[in-house]
Amino acid sequence: VQLQASGGGLVQAGGSLRLSCVGPRRSFGWYRMAWFRQAPGKEREFVAGISRVGRSTEYADSVKGRFTISRDNARGTVYLQMNSLKPEDTAVYYCAADETENLYRVIRTQDDYDYWGQGTLVTVSS
């Protein structure tokens, strides 16, 4: 499964960006999806996740209320809308997919995700 992330860039604090991750259209609905990020010198961390059918979402406390994850299975795409960006949001953002029969559960553990996109860099200036 190939995942292609895009949408990163340079933005001022308080600004917004929308990340996209495109996967295989025909089977996209079989995967729960998530976004992770890795800041310089830090470990990769969970940002947001969404269940197969999009009814369940979870967020890291640091982004709750500012970021929104969504998906369009017909387009084979998952999105991360990022508002009120802060300098500490600067990181490489990765999308990840986990094939599952469970329609509603979101998982946060990166080891459970089998497929990863190449990452897109988000830089927030102060």
Side-chain angles (χ1 to χ4, degrees), residues 42-112:
K42 295 187 177 181
E43 294 187 352
R44 190 160 56 185
E45 63 177 0
F46 173 83
V47 175
I50 189 165
S51 60
R52 278 179 54 190
V53 296
R55 290 188 180 180
S56 301
T57 58
E58 291 189 13
Y59 298 90
D61 288 344
S62 59
V63 307
K64 202 171 293 184
R66 300 188 297 122
F67 290 11
T68 303
I69 188 170
S70 61
R71 65 187 297 159
D72 183 340
N73 286 348
R75 295 180 181 272
T77 305
V78 63
Y79 304 96
L80 185 67
Q81 177 67 43
M82 306 186 295
N83 298 329
S84 302
L85 282 161
K86 304 176 181 180
E88 50 263 43
D89 294 318
T90 295
V92 177
Y93 284 71
Y94 299 90
C95 59
D98 173 47
E99 186 175 3
T100 179
E101 294 186 354
N102 188 294
L103 291 173
Y104 306 113
R105 186 182 174 202
V106 176
I107 53 175
R108 296 171 174 248
T109 309
Q110 55 184 306
D111 288 346
D112 288 318

Side-chain angles (χ1 to χ4, degrees), residues 3-6 20-21 92-95 116-120:
L3 302 173
Q4 183 70 38
S6 63
S20 300
C21 175
V92 177
Y93 284 71
Y94 299 90
C95 59
W116 292 81
Q118 85 286 4
T120 185

